[in-house]
Structures are given as C-alpha cells and as structure tokens.
Amino acid sequence: MSRNLKYLAFLLVALCITFVPVQGQVRHAPSDAYSKPRVIVFGVNGGEWDILRPLLLRGEMPNLARVIERGVSGKLRTVSAPNCPKVYSVFETSTPPEENGIPGFIVHGTTANTSMLRTETLWSLLTNGGVTVGMANVPATFPVKPVNGYMISGMLTRGKGCEDGLLCSPKLSEVQGGDAVFPRSLVPELKANVGDFLIDCARMPTAKDLLGHEEAVVYEWLAKVAKTREQQRKLFDYLLTNHPTDFTFFVQSCEDRVGHWLYPIQPFNVGYNRKTHTINVDAFPNQYRALDKVLGTVLQHVDENTTLFIISDHGIKPLREKESHDAHRDHAGTTPIIAHHDFEDGDDVPGIFVAMGPGIKKGARVMGLPMSVFDIAPTILHLYDIAAPRQMQGRVLTEILEGSNETAGGTHSPK
Ligand SMILES: [Zn+2]
C-alpha cells in the first residue's frame, strides 16, 4: 500500500470509530434536540433587593454575585397585590390573573389548581415545540400536567390534613387529590434516590402556638425550613444529573414564608413584638444565604451554553400602612405577620431578575421597571424560536441581549 493509501485507510477507520455508536453509551437526546438551547429558570419566592444587596456587598452570596457579574440584573415589575400562585401563573402564561384563571390562592372557594388555567402555558407551548421540559416545585402546578419530560408540583399541592385555602406541605407520600409527579413512574425513583421529600415549606406557626414558647417555636420551625430546603437542593441536583432537559424550571419556596413573620424589623415598624422579633434577627437574611448554596448546586450544571434566569414573583417589605384587606394576619387570620408583598401598588415590591448565558449582556444592569413578570414566557419562547401566542401580553426582553442598543429604562454597565 502506498503511503497515501495507508493514510486514506487510516482516515476511514478513524471516521468509522467516530460515527459508530458505542454500545451502552448514554444517548442524550434525539439528534435534533442537540441544537435546542438549554435554559434553566431558578425561581425565588420573594426576592427582595433591600435584603439581598447588603448580603452581596458583604460577599455572603458568592454564587448570586457571580451570576450578576456575568449577566444582566434588575428589578422585575410585578402585578398589583402580588402573591405566589397569581404571579407564577403570569410567568407561565404571560396573561393577566383575571384572564388566566388563577387570580390568587383561592378561586371561587377552592384552592387554585391547574385545571382552572384558561390560557396556554409555557410548558405546553415548549412541549408542543419539541423542547424537553423539566419542572419542580413551581407554585400552582398541582395536579401536574403531562409534559415532554417531567413535572413535580410545588406550593398549593394538596394532601393529608390540607383544608381549602390553607397552605400545607405534604410529603410526597401524603399527596391527595391528584398527581404531584409526572410521569407516575418517577415517584418510586424519587423516593429511592431523594427520599420522601416535603413538597413545600411548612405553614407559619399561629399566634397561639407562639404564645409563651416563642424561642422554641422559632427554632423548631426554622429547622424544618432548613430541612425542606436541603431536600429541594437534593431533588434539583438529582433531576439535573439524571434527567437533563432543554428547559428546566425549579422554584425555592421558603424565603417568603420566613420573611412574613421574621423579617428583621425595628420597634417602630408595624406589628413589632419584642418577644418574637428579637430571637433571631438573622432568620430572614439566612434564607438568602441558604438559597445561595442551592444556587451553587444549580450552577454546577450550568455550562457556557446554558442560559440561566433567576427570577422572583415579588419582593417582600415590612408592613407600613393599613391596606384595603387585613394585611396583618395570614393563614385564615391565625398567624401574625410583619412583612408582606400584597401591596396594592405592585411597584412597591418588585421582584428580582438576573440572567446569564450565551448572547446575554455581561455585567449590565437594567434601571427602572421596564422588565415585567409578563415578559418571562415570551423571552423564553424567543430563545427557542417559538412564536408567542397572541394572548401573551409580555414582550421579548431584547435589552438584555448582546448587540441591542436598547435602553428601555436605561441599562448601564458598571466598570
Ligand atoms: Zn411568592
């Protein structure tokens, strides 16, 4: 064989080795899925810049700081009197709460659930567009719906001891009234590998529970919150490792719940009670420190081809005035609260928005409130080149994309 022929033979063998699939090798996805963008949305329940910024300055949220530095950040305009099911349903549909069927926790006397949804959701549009979808702990996604992937429900999942309109946090084995996991075959796998996890954070203690036992109740309750968060972290890690999808949407639910009754307030704030509010003034900031660790786990699965969004449905601030409804009690009036997010003017409690990934500006900040909770679904659909249906009222956040000179509200890149 001439030298040239030998070389040709070598090339042919090399080509064959390259293209023949090795037996037993993991086949990641159908071939066309290779070109699908990878997007992870990390939802925070109540992301409050007033508390986050000092923690970032002190270097106590290194993971969030890293994403902010490498991406775009700003406030996320929310709806009037925002709450979790209301805003998460806007994230999913980009339609107003009164149109999409989920205007709050309770709809006509029944706890909000997915069968009430009247406008098409992001998960179904992505599924129909051939995008693989993975969701876990997203509020108001119970009972779960079939998707091109998996869905594990979040806040408002019904189960043992749940009364209508009250939050409860059933374990996976205690779920009642519908499926919390799609596909069902995933349930035994999750129980074996993650455990019988709590689907949501525990309900806040009542005034009666607290009276005379403040310190014990605060610490016991916070220990339960920490356990739930660790289970959620383990769940997210397991899913990202073993069930990677093109689009992934995970939500953390404990921050808000802690803020409602343990926000670090001063004696001049509404609802101050020395007995409860001096026990652990770090309880609420600690939730963000803990959230940052969960974000660290998620970041281990984010490569240079992944777009990461960190979003929250609203902020949370101390009570300061009497609003039109009874704002000082929660859970059917049994729990005293000192901070909330249901301000009539949603601009008082904007959420957070942070995005990082290919094609997204680096180290830029969007000023003002041009970005809204309505814009999340259209922006994600845009990344997948799927047209947003006409009923969606949000827009594509083009100002976060590289190459755009848009300064809606003004973007600026810090030195
Ligand atoms: Zn919320």
Side-chain angles (χ1 to χ4, degrees):
M1 231 190 276
S2 79
R3 226 173 125 182
N4 275 351
L5 272 175
K6 261 189 204 162
Y7 183 58
L8 197 67
F10 167 78
L11 263 185
L12 274 172
V13 170
L15 277 171
C16 286
I17 290 171
T18 315
F19 287 111
V20 172
V22 179
Q23 270 296 316
Q25 197 175 302
V26 184
R27 196 164 168 266
H28 293 283
S31 55
D32 70 326
Y34 280 115
S35 56
K36 293 262 191 295
R38 188 157 180 264
V39 177
I40 298 179
V41 180
F42 186 60
V44 181
N45 183 4
E48 175 52 61
W49 281 122
D50 285 354
I51 304 286
L52 291 167
R53 283 202 178 104
L55 294 173
L56 287 161
L57 271 177
R58 292 204 294 264
E60 292 174 10
M61 295 191 74
N63 293 307
L64 182 62
R66 218 172 98 202
V67 182
I68 291 172
E69 239 173 69
R70 296 174 190 188
V72 177
S73 61
K75 295 185 278 283
L76 192 60
R77 185 174 212 174
T78 189
V79 297
S80 169
N83 63 47
C84 315
K86 193 176 181 179
V87 183
Y88 272 91
S89 303
V90 176
F91 283 148
E92 297 292 4
T93 63
S94 185
T95 56
E98 54 283 4
E99 278 176 33
N100 66 38
I102 308 216
F105 284 91
I106 304 190
V107 186
H108 306 303
T110 307
T111 301
N113 62 68
T114 48
S115 59
M116 295 171 176
L117 279 165
R118 291 200 301 257
T119 48
E120 199 167 7
T121 57
L122 180 63
W123 70 68
S124 87
L125 289 158
L126 292 172
T127 291
N128 295 339
V131 176
T132 54
V133 172
M135 291 171 57
N137 291 162
V138 181
T141 53
F142 178 80
V144 287
K145 294 284 184 185
V147 286
N148 183 16
Y150 64 84
M151 192 189 290
I152 297 155
S153 62
M155 179 195 259
L156 297 190
T157 298
R158 305 280 86 195
K160 222 174 97 189
C162 292
E163 298 152 60
D164 253 325
L166 286 186
L167 287 175
C168 54
S169 50
K171 286 181 188 165
L172 195 50
S173 63
E174 295 169 342
V175 172
Q176 290 170 355
D179 283 334
V181 177
F182 174 88
R184 277 187 188 162
S185 57
L186 193 57
V187 176
E189 185 189 325
L190 291 176
K191 279 190 184 156
N193 293 285
V194 183
D196 191 12
F197 57 88
L198 288 157
I199 301 237
D200 185 23
C201 246
R203 185 187 299 182
M204 292 177 272
T206 64
K208 221 171 116 207
D209 296 334
L210 276 162
L211 195 64
H213 310 279
E214 287 83 357
E215 190 159 342
V217 171
V218 165
Y219 283 107
E220 267 168 44
W221 190 83
L222 287 173
K224 221 186 291 169
V225 166
K227 191 177 150 196
T228 309
R229 196 187 291 282
E230 174 50 24
Q231 289 175 339
Q232 287 178 341
R233 191 200 62 77
K234 201 171 162 190
L235 174 69
F236 299 169
D237 195 32
Y238 181 80
L239 293 167
L240 286 168
T241 306
N242 297 286
H243 297 278
T245 46
D246 302 321
F247 172 76
T248 313
F249 190 178
F250 293 157
V251 178
Q252 288 266 278
S253 54
C254 298
E255 310 69 54
D256 177 80
R257 208 74 49 85
V258 178
H260 275 302
W261 71 291
L262 294 173
Y263 207 97
I265 58 166
Q266 297 289 325
F268 61 76
N269 282 113
V270 176
Y272 185 81
N273 171 347
R274 194 181 48 81
K275 279 194 181 142
T276 312
H277 303 124
T278 52
I279 294 170
N280 186 348
V281 291
D282 241 1
F284 183 48
N286 278 346
Q287 296 309 308
Y288 290 135
R289 294 182 177 103
L291 173 102
D292 196 71
K293 295 206 170 77
V294 182
L295 176 60
T297 297
V298 171
L299 283 174
Q300 286 169 8
H301 300 273
V302 171
D303 60 17
E304 71 279 9
N305 296 317
T306 308
T307 303
L308 174 69
F309 290 98
I310 303 169
I311 56 172
S312 73
D313 45 356
H314 47 70
I316 177 166
K317 303 219 194 257
L319 301 177
R320 54 180 191 195
E321 63 195 60
K322 185 84 182 141
E323 300 237 357
S324 60
H325 55 286
D326 187 6
H328 299 192
R329 297 239 157 194
D330 215 333
H331 296 342
T334 57
T335 300
I337 59 161
I338 52 168
H340 81 163
H341 41 73
D342 326 45
F343 294 101
E344 301 290 343
D345 183 353
D347 287 357
D348 284 345
V349 271
I352 65 165
F353 175 92
V354 185
M356 170 185 89
I360 290 186
K361 284 180 184 164
K362 287 169 187 58
R365 180 169 161 189
V366 177
M367 313 294 271
L369 290 165
M371 302 190 292
S372 131
V373 292
F374 286 90
D375 305 332
I376 301 301
T379 301
I380 289 165
L381 289 172
H382 172 77
L383 295 179
Y384 287 104
D385 216 4
I386 296 173
R390 269 178 55 201
Q391 74 273 12
M392 286 199 167
Q393 298 193 4
R395 64 181 178 92
V396 178
L397 294 170
T398 48
E399 68 267 41
I400 70 168
L401 304 175
E402 271 167 356
S404 90
N405 292 319
E406 258 181 78
T407 49
T411 24
H412 98 155
S413 305
K415 278 150 255 147

